[in-house]
Amino acid sequence: MDKILEAVVMSSYPNNVKQGLVRRVIEASKQPMDSEQCWSMLELSTKLYLTGDTKYKREIGKEVLEVYGHYHPEEFEEFFNVRFLLSLLQEGYGPLGKRSHYVLDYIQLGLQFVLESPSANSIFSLLRIEVLRKICERPSPKQCAKISKLLTQHPQCIPTGKHQLLFCQQLIRCIGHFQCVSEEEEQIMEFLEQVNKVSGLLQRIWRTQTSTILPSLKELFTIISSTEEQEAPSNALASVVQFVPLELMDGVIRNLTNDDSITDVQMMMAIGRMIDWVSWPLGKNIDKWIIALLKGLAAVKKFSILIEVTLSKIEKVFSKLLYPIVREGALSVLQYMLLSFQHSHEAFHLLLPHIPRLVASLKKEDSNSATSSLEQLAELIHCMFFRFSGFPDLYEPVLEAVKALPIPNEDRIKHLLGQNAWTSQKNELACFYPRLASKSETGKIGLINLGNTCYMNSIIQSLFMASDFRHSVLNLTEGNSQPLMTKLQWLFAFLEHSQRPAISPESFLSASWPPWFTPGAQQDCSEYLKYLLDRLHEEEKTGKRIYQKLKESSLMSQAVEHHYLNKTLIEKMFGGKMMTKIRCLKCLNVSSREEAFTDLSLAFPPSDRNMHGSTPILPVEEIGPQFIEPPENAGQLAGSPWIRRKDPMAGDPATLPMLVETLGFQEPGKAANPSSGNDVSVDTAKDPFSAFGEQACAPKDSRSVPDLINYFLSPERLTAENKYHCEKCASLQDAEKVAELTEGPHYLILTLLRFSFDPRTMKRKKILDNISIPVVLKLPILVAPEETEVCRCGKDSAAPGSGFMSVLYDLCSVVVHSGISSESGHYYCYSRECTDAVPHEQPRDGVPKPASDKQLDFEIQWYLFNDTRVSFSSFESVSNVTSFFPKDTAYVLFYRQRPGRQSCLLHEAEAGCLHGEPSLQKDLMEAISKDNILYLQEQEKEARNRAAYISALPKSPLWWKDLDRDKDDDSSSGGCSPAAGGGGSGSFHGLVF
C-alpha cells in the first residue's frame, strides 16, 4: 500500500485526481493490517511530512500519520519510540545540509497518540532534556515558537526541578537574540506572534512555579545591563516583563536600586534598553516598569544616571507618539521623564523642534487616540512653559502649534510638577546644573540659579550690561572700604573674563541678601534692586564719613578729599531728583520739597482713564491757578513711594501740557510729539526712529511706558479724608499736588507696579496688561529759570519760558516676570549695551548731534539672559513677548541717558562715560586666571566621566534620528503605520522590534 501511495503522490496527475486516489488509500489504512505494512506506511508518511517539498505532500503525510495513530496505536507506539525521537532531535531528518525544519511539528503531532502508552514517561523525560538543549543552542524565533507550542500543548515535557529554572533563564536569553530582519508587515506580524508564543510559555511556567520569577528577572537584568561589546539585546524582551505580576514590582525595583554590586554604568545600560522597549507594540505594563525603575533611581538619588538616560532617550520616546499602537505607553513614559526633569530645561528643549510637526500629524490623524494624546501633550507642554519660562524665542513656534488646545490651570500644573519631581530638596541637584559644555555663542556668561534666585540673576545681568556702571565698578581701587561693592566688582570681573559658560553668584547672594527674604523662595526683583542700591550707597557714604574724619586729622591729601566729597557711585549712575509741590486751593500758597530717587515706581491708571495725550506735566512757572482739567471719574490707584494718588478735581482752567514722549512709536498718521508749539523738541518727522513708527506702534486701547510716567507726574486733588494741612491757613484744606523731575539720572530705572493687593481675595495679584515699551524715551526735566538760557545755548529741547527741557533716554534692559504672582514665577531679562561709539560731531545749527543718532538703536544687539542661558535676541522679541506669553510681562526697565542732554546742568563730570577696558587689580586678575585653569581641568575630568557614561548607553538605530525626513516618506501601512488611514506624518521609520 505504501508503494501505491508513493506512486500517487509522485505522479503528474491533477491534484483532484490524486486526492481521490489518496482518499481511497487512507480509507483502506483504517482496516486491520500486519505490522510490517504499518511500519512501511508510517515511514512513508514520516518522509512526506518531514521532507515533502510541497504543502500538499506534507498534508498527506500528516493525514496518514493521524490515521495510523488512531487505528493502529500499538504499531504507532512501537514506531514512535524514544530512540527514534532522540535521533530526530539530535541528528535531524533528511539529507545532510537539507535537514527538515518540521521535526518539532512532527513530534508534537505524534505525542498525542502515545500519551497513555507505557513509553510515554520515557518520551517525556527525553523531551525535557532535549528542549533544554535546543533552547541553549539559541534557535531561531520560529523554532523557539515551535518548542513553546509543543510545551504549551504538552506541559509534561517542560523541564522540572533545577532544570526548570535553567530553562526559563535560557529561554529569556534566547528571546534576547530574536531579531526581525524583514520590514514587511506580514513578516512583522508573524514575528510578533512567535515572540508571544515564547513569552506565553514563560507566563505558564511562572503561574505554576512562582519561585522561578525572580531568578528569571535577575537573568533578564543581567542581559540588558551587560556592557560587553556585542549586539544589543532584542526589544522582544519587553514581552517577558508584561507577564511579571505587578505586586512584585516594588520589591524588584527596591532590590535592584539598592544592590551595591550593580554599577552605575550597568544600571544606565539597563534603564536605557528598557526605555527602548516603548517601541514594542503588544506589551502591557511596560511603561509602568520603566517609570517604576526611574522613580526607584530617584529615590536612591542616582541623579547622574537619570540625567544621562533622559537626555539620550527622550527624543526616541517622543517619536513613538506618532504610532497609535505604542502611543499610550510612550506618552506615559514621556510625561514622567519631562515632569521629573525639573532641574534643567535641557530635556524639554530637545523636543522643541519636533513638537509642531507631531501636533500637526496628530491633528491630521483625527482619531480618539490622537485627540486624547494632543490634550495630554498640551498639558505637558504648558507645565514645561510654567517650569522653564523665559525662552520666548524658542517657545513661540510651539505655542503657536498648541494654541487651540486646552490650557491647564496653575493649580493643576503645580500638582503635576510637585507630584513627579525627583526630589523636593533642590540643593541635591545643584551639582548637576548647569550642564553646559562651552560659553554661549554670544560670548556672554550666565549665572547659576541657586534655588529661586532668578530675581537676583536678572538684576545683576541688567546692572552688568549698564556699561558705564560696570566700568566704574571694575575701576574701583583696592582698599575702598566697601565690602559689598568689592564683591560686586569680583562678580562683574568674572562675568567679563571667565571662561565658564555660567558662574555661581553664591558669595554675592549671601552678602546682598535682604534679611527678611525667605531662603529658597521666590522674591520681588524690584525690592531686591532697591535694597542692593541702597546698601551700596550707604556703604560708600560710610566710607566717605571715615575719610572725612581722617581729613580733619590732616591725614588726607586734597585729591583724596575731593574724591570722597563727591557723590556716591550709585547717586552718579542711578540718582535723580524730584520736586513735590502742594498748592492750597484756598490761599494758593505753595509748599515744595525736593527728594532723591534711584527708581520711579509707576502705577497703572484706572481702566476708564484716557491715556492718549491728556495727562499733563506742569511747568513750575505756571503752578498757580492754571492746572490742567483732568478726565472725570478717574479712579484711585496706588502710586509711587513719594506720591499718593488721588482723583484730581475737574473744573480748573487748563494750561498747555508737556508730555513724556517716545520717538518712533506714534500711531500712524499722528504726530510723534503731542506737546504744544511752545515746546522746542527734536523734529520727529526727521528723526530716524520715525521710520519704525508704523511697525512698533501700540494698539489704540493699549498703554505705554510714557502713559504711566505721565500718570505718575500728573496733578492730583487732595480732598475729603485726604485733605492737606495748610500752614498758612492753619487748617485742613483742599489742595493739589504735583511732582516734577528736577534732575534726570544717568540710568533711569522704571518699576511697573504690577502687583497689587486684592481685598476681595486678601492676596497680591498681578496686573497682566501689555505695556508698549519705547526704545527711546523723551523725558521732561524741570530746570531753574537762570539755567534755561544755558540749556538753550546748545542743549536739547529747552522750552522757552516753561522751565522744562527734554532729555532723551535709550532703553538698555527689560526685566521680565513670568507668572501671575509675586511669590512665584520666574525672572529673566533682555539687555543691550548702550555706549557712545564715537565723540560728538560738531554742532549743526547750534545743536550738537550725538554719535548714537548716526546709528539706529534697532541695530544694537540685544541679548536674552535667563539664568545660565544667554542667547541673541532682538527688540522685536522684547516688544512681543507679552503678546505671545500673556504671563510674561515687563517689570523693571533700565534706560540710559543720551550724552550731552543734561551735562550742562546735571553732574557733567559724574555721569561721563568711561571708555576702554578697565584694568583689574592684580589679585582679581590672578583669581580669574586660576579659576579659568581650574575650569579647563574640570572640563577634562568631566569629559572622561561622561565618555564612560555615554559609551555605556545603548545606541539607538539611526532611523530613530530621522526627525527631518521628508513628511511624505512613509510607505508603512496597517497596524504598524503611524496612523490608520494615511494619517501618519512620516517623520519616523517603522517600529523596530
Side-chain angles (χ1 to χ4, degrees):
M1 190 178 294
D2 58 302
K3 300 297 183 184
I4 298 173
L5 179 61
E6 186 174 13
V8 169
V9 170
M10 300 301 178
S11 69
S12 59
Y13 294 136
N15 282 345
N16 59 338
V17 176
K18 289 183 180 180
Q19 191 64 39
L21 295 172
V22 168
R23 180 58 50 199
R24 294 174 65 178
V25 172
I26 289 176
E27 288 298 323
S29 297
K30 295 179 182 179
Q31 304 302 318
M33 61 180 64
D34 58 41
S35 178
E36 185 178 351
Q37 184 62 49
C38 286
W39 269 77
S40 298
M41 286 296 291
L42 286 170
E43 286 178 343
L44 176 61
S45 59
T46 298
K47 178 182 177 182
L48 290 173
Y49 186 86
L50 291 175
T51 62
D53 54 0
T54 64
K55 185 178 180 180
Y56 174 71
K57 293 179 180 179
R58 293 195 298 274
E59 287 178 349
I60 292 175
K62 177 182 176 183
E63 195 170 357
V64 172
L65 284 170
E66 290 174 337
V67 168
Y68 277 84
H70 278 296
Y71 293 95
H72 307 281
E74 293 182 1
E75 286 79 6
F76 188 89
E77 180 184 346
E78 186 180 354
F79 178 81
F80 199 78
N81 58 62
V82 172
R83 182 177 296 178
F84 175 58
L85 294 181
L86 181 62
S87 173
L88 286 177
L89 290 168
Q90 292 190 353
E91 300 174 12
Y93 189 95
L96 195 64
K98 293 185 179 181
R99 298 297 192 190
S100 173
H101 299 294
Y102 302 99
V103 169
L104 292 171
D105 305 87
Y106 176 82
I107 293 175
Q108 181 180 340
L109 176 64
L111 275 178
Q112 59 184 311
F113 303 112
V114 298
L115 295 177
E116 304 298 330
S117 68
S119 62
N121 288 334
S122 300
I123 293 175
F124 295 154
S125 297
L126 170 67
L127 290 176
R128 291 187 196 111
I129 297 174
E130 287 301 309
V131 293
L132 177 58
R133 182 183 63 80
K134 282 281 187 184
I135 290 298
C136 291
E137 292 175 353
R138 307 287 181 263
S140 66
K142 187 173 183 178
Q143 291 299 310
C144 202
K146 288 181 178 182
I147 294 175
S148 300
K149 184 179 178 182
L150 169 66
L151 299 183
T152 301
Q153 188 170 344
H154 302 287
Q156 307 94 322
C157 302
I158 297 175
T160 57
K162 61 180 182 180
H163 288 161
Q164 187 175 77
L165 175 57
L166 179 60
F167 177 78
C168 291
Q169 293 172 329
Q170 291 301 317
L171 194 61
I172 290 173
R173 286 200 169 272
C174 197
I175 296 174
H177 284 82
F178 287 177
Q179 297 295 336
C180 181
V181 294
S182 174
E183 293 186 5
E184 297 296 326
E185 183 176 347
E186 185 177 348
Q187 279 75 29
I188 291 175
M189 297 307 295
E190 182 181 356
F191 174 73
L192 292 174
E193 184 179 357
Q194 292 164 356
V195 173
N196 280 344
K197 285 181 180 179
V198 179
S199 58
L201 174 61
L202 271 174
Q203 180 190 26
R204 182 186 182 95
I205 297 174
W206 288 349
R207 281 178 177 174
T208 57
Q209 295 292 331
T210 56
S211 60
T212 60
I213 298 178
L214 294 180
S216 298
L217 290 181
K218 186 175 182 181
E219 188 70 19
L220 173 63
F221 186 82
T222 301
I223 295 170
I224 63 175
S225 63
S226 173
T227 58
E228 297 177 4
E229 289 295 329
Q230 57 184 11
E231 188 176 0
S234 171
N235 285 347
L237 288 169
S239 64
V240 175
V241 175
Q242 65 180 325
F243 296 123
V244 180
L246 292 179
E247 55 265 27
L248 298 178
M249 180 182 289
D250 289 343
V252 170
I253 297 300
R254 188 165 50 251
N255 289 338
L256 282 177
T257 54
N258 288 282
D259 189 341
D260 294 336
S261 65
I262 299 174
T263 66
D264 284 359
V265 173
Q266 289 174 321
M267 184 62 75
M268 188 179 301
M269 182 68 75
I271 187 60
R273 284 168 172 165
M274 284 182 67
I275 291 173
D276 289 344
W277 293 349
V278 296
S279 63
W280 187 254
L282 299 178
K284 297 178 182 179
N285 300 326
I286 295 172
D287 56 323
K288 293 183 176 64
W289 281 95
I290 294 172
I291 294 171
L293 184 52
L294 292 173
K295 288 182 176 180
L297 291 172
V300 296
K301 307 187 187 311
K302 295 286 188 179
F303 300 128
S304 58
I305 298 176
L306 291 167
I307 290 170
E308 294 295 344
V309 168
T310 300
L311 294 178
S312 64
K313 293 296 182 180
I314 196 165
E315 286 179 279
K316 181 172 184 179
V317 174
F318 182 80
S319 73
K320 302 307 169 207
L321 300 184
L322 280 172
Y323 301 90
I325 199 170
V326 298
R327 182 176 294 153
E328 182 179 357
L331 185 57
S332 295
V333 175
L334 179 71
Q335 285 175 323
Y336 179 77
M337 292 176 82
L338 276 182
L339 291 173
S340 62
F341 201 94
Q342 293 186 31
H343 72 289
S344 165
H345 51 71
E346 290 174 279
F348 178 52
H349 285 191
L350 285 174
L351 305 181
L352 293 179
H354 317 310
I355 291 175
R357 183 180 299 181
L358 175 68
V359 171
S361 176
L362 293 178
K363 287 180 178 178
K364 181 180 178 183
E365 182 181 321
D366 193 25
S367 66
N368 291 336
S369 169
T371 302
S372 174
S373 297
L374 272 175
E375 292 177 356
Q376 294 179 68
L377 183 62
E379 181 178 71
L380 189 59
I381 290 170
H382 283 290
C383 285
M384 295 297 100
F385 283 168
F386 181 88
R387 179 64 187 87
F388 305 115
S389 55
F391 301 92
D393 50 336
L394 297 179
Y395 292 169
E396 187 177 320
V398 177
L399 187 66
E400 180 69 21
V402 301
K403 65 181 180 181
L405 298 172
I407 301 175
N409 59 44
E410 187 170 346
D411 289 340
R412 170 66 176 167
I413 290 175
K414 289 180 177 177
H415 170 73
L416 289 172
L417 291 172
Q419 190 180 42
N420 293 278
W422 285 338
T423 173
S424 59
Q425 304 300 318
K426 295 182 180 180
N427 59 338
E428 292 181 339
L429 287 164
C431 60
F432 299 103
Y433 181 75
R435 223 191 65 154
L436 302 171
S438 59
K439 258 189 181 181
S440 161
E441 60 181 352
T442 64
K444 305 295 182 182
I445 296 175
L447 290 169
I448 296 174
N449 191 315
L450 302 173
N452 280 330
T453 58
C454 54
Y455 67 90
M456 179 188 69
N457 290 350
S458 59
I459 292 299
I460 289 176
Q461 294 286 19
S462 297
L463 292 175
F464 177 80
M465 292 297 285
S467 54
D468 300 334
F469 178 64
R470 179 179 75 244
H471 288 166
S472 297
V473 171
L474 292 176
N475 273 313
L476 289 175
T477 57
E478 192 173 4
N480 52 39
S481 302
Q482 300 178 58
L484 183 58
M485 185 65 81
T486 301
K487 287 186 178 294
L488 183 62
Q489 181 186 46
W490 278 62
L491 183 57
F492 277 5
F494 273 82
L495 284 174
E496 183 95 12
H497 299 289
S498 177
Q499 294 300 314
R500 295 180 183 272
I503 60 176
S504 171
E506 184 174 4
S507 176
F508 188 77
L509 172 65
S510 60
S512 65
W513 187 65
W516 62 89
F517 277 14
T518 304
Q522 185 60 279
Q523 305 294 341
D524 189 327
C525 75
S526 173
E527 186 178 4
Y528 174 77
L529 174 60
K530 288 182 176 70
Y531 177 80
L532 175 61
L533 295 182
D534 185 59
R535 277 276 310 276
L536 293 171
H537 169 67
E538 291 298 328
E539 190 178 77
E540 188 173 350
K541 280 178 60 179
T542 301
K544 289 180 183 295
R545 285 195 295 267
I546 294 173
Y547 277 91
Q548 179 65 26
K549 292 181 179 179
L550 292 175
K551 167 189 170 292
E552 294 172 357
S553 302
S554 301
L555 297 177
M556 287 180 58
S557 66
Q558 288 187 352
V560 174
E561 174 186 351
H562 175 76
H563 172 78
Y564 280 97
L565 288 179
N566 284 336
K567 294 180 177 180
T568 67
L569 179 59
I570 299 304
E571 288 176 312
K572 294 174 186 177
M573 292 295 162
F574 305 103
K577 290 183 180 179
M578 178 170 53
M579 182 76 71
T580 302
K581 300 185 178 184
I582 302 178
R583 178 176 64 106
C584 174
L585 294 181
K586 182 178 180 181
C587 68
L588 303 184
N589 181 59
V590 177
S591 64
S592 61
R593 183 180 80 251
E594 188 176 53
E595 52 192 341
F597 67 88
T598 53
D599 80 311
L600 298 181
S601 299
L602 306 179
F604 283 68
S607 58
D608 58 349
R609 180 171 176 130
N610 179 16
M611 293 306 301
H612 294 280
S614 66
T615 308
I617 297 175
L618 289 180
V620 173
E621 295 88 340
E622 300 175 352
I623 199 162
Q626 300 178 335
F627 276 91
I628 295 299
E629 178 179 340
E632 294 183 0
N633 302 322
Q636 182 177 355
L637 192 68
S640 75
W642 302 272
I643 299 178
R644 183 176 179 181
R645 293 288 159 209
K646 188 82 173 171
D647 292 350
M649 183 179 295
D652 287 332
T655 187
L656 293 175
M658 181 176 182
L659 301 180
V660 176
E661 300 174 35
T662 165
L663 297 185
F665 287 84
Q666 72 276 16
E667 295 177 16
K670 293 192 177 183
N673 181 10
S675 59
S676 70
N678 291 334
D679 177 25
V680 181
S681 62
V682 175
D683 183 1
T684 54
K686 297 179 181 179
D687 192 277
F689 293 94
S690 62
F692 294 87
E694 192 164 336
Q695 295 96 319
C697 69
K700 289 187 178 181
D701 59 348
S702 70
R703 291 170 175 168
S704 65
V705 169
D707 291 337
L708 301 190
I709 299 177
N710 282 326
Y711 178 64
F712 174 81
L713 297 174
S714 64
E716 67 167 314
R717 183 65 57 89
L718 305 178
T719 61
E721 295 178 356
N722 199 30
K723 283 187 177 184
Y724 164 69
H725 185 274
C726 177
E727 294 183 358
K728 188 174 182 180
C729 298
S731 61
L732 294 175
Q733 298 292 336
D734 288 349
E736 276 187 315
K737 181 168 68 172
V738 67
E740 296 164 339
L741 300 179
T742 58
E743 182 177 321
H746 187 60
Y747 282 100
L748 174 65
I749 301 175
L750 304 175
T751 300
L752 311 187
L753 297 178
R754 291 189 174 275
F755 302 111
S756 61
F757 183 75
D758 187 349
R760 184 176 56 85
T761 61
M762 301 300 290
K763 293 181 179 180
R764 292 182 74 194
K765 66 177 182 179
K766 181 179 177 181
I767 301 172
L768 295 172
D769 294 5
N770 190 1
I771 300 297
S772 62
I773 304 172
V775 71
V776 180
L777 187 69
K778 183 182 288 187
L779 196 67
I781 304 296
L782 182 68
V783 295
E786 64 272 13
E787 296 169 337
T788 304
E789 290 301 320
V790 180
C791 292
R792 294 181 61 192
C793 72
K795 304 304 176 185
D796 180 49
S797 303
S802 70
F804 280 100
M805 61 176 290
S806 291
V807 178
L808 292 184
Y809 280 88
D810 296 300
L811 181 68
C812 52
S813 287
V814 179
V815 178
V816 177
H817 177 263
S818 176
I820 60 173
S821 168
S822 61
E823 291 80 22
S824 63
H826 179 65
Y827 289 101
Y828 57 95
C829 73
Y830 294 92
S831 290
R832 62 173 182 164
E833 279 198 70
C834 294
T835 57
D836 307 328
V838 295
H840 294 165
E841 296 180 358
Q842 292 299 317
R844 181 182 301 174
D845 300 328
V847 179
K849 184 176 183 182
S852 54
D853 281 350
K854 297 177 64 178
Q855 177 185 8
L856 291 179
D857 277 304
F858 291 90
E859 297 177 3
I860 300 177
Q861 180 63 58
W862 282 88
Y863 302 94
L864 175 56
F865 294 89
N866 187 0
D867 289 335
T868 56
R869 182 180 184 266
V870 186
S871 58
F872 290 115
S873 190
S874 65
F875 182 69
E876 182 183 10
S877 179
V878 179
S879 304
N880 296 332
V881 62
T882 308
S883 301
F884 286 103
F885 302 91
K887 295 179 183 178
D888 291 27
T889 53
Y891 184 39
V892 179
L893 312 178
F894 287 72
Y895 280 90
R896 178 182 183 270
Q897 186 183 135
R898 287 227 182 148
R901 292 297 190 255
Q902 233 181 326
S903 59
C904 63
L905 302 175
L906 306 173
H907 53 73
E908 184 171 13
E910 291 91 335
C913 296
L914 299 172
H915 295 286
E917 289 297 323
S919 56
L920 300 180
Q921 302 169 26
K922 182 179 179 181
D923 59 340
L924 183 50
M925 293 177 62
E926 290 177 354
I928 294 173
S929 178
K930 287 180 180 179
D931 185 71
N932 286 338
I933 294 172
L934 177 62
Y935 171 66
L936 292 177
Q937 294 171 346
E938 290 172 357
Q939 286 292 94
E940 293 175 1
K941 182 179 179 181
E942 177 68 15
R944 289 193 295 269
N945 293 340
R946 278 181 53 78
Y949 274 132
I950 296 301
S951 63
L953 287 170
K955 303 299 187 295
S956 297
L958 292 179
W959 49 79
W960 290 116
K961 295 295 182 182
D962 65 345
L963 294 167
D964 298 322
R965 190 180 290 270
D966 188 88
K967 65 169 61 178
D968 296 323
D969 182 20
D970 182 19
S971 58
S972 57
S973 60
C976 293
S977 66
S985 71
S987 299
F988 308 89
H989 232 9
L991 296 172
V992 176
F993 307 112

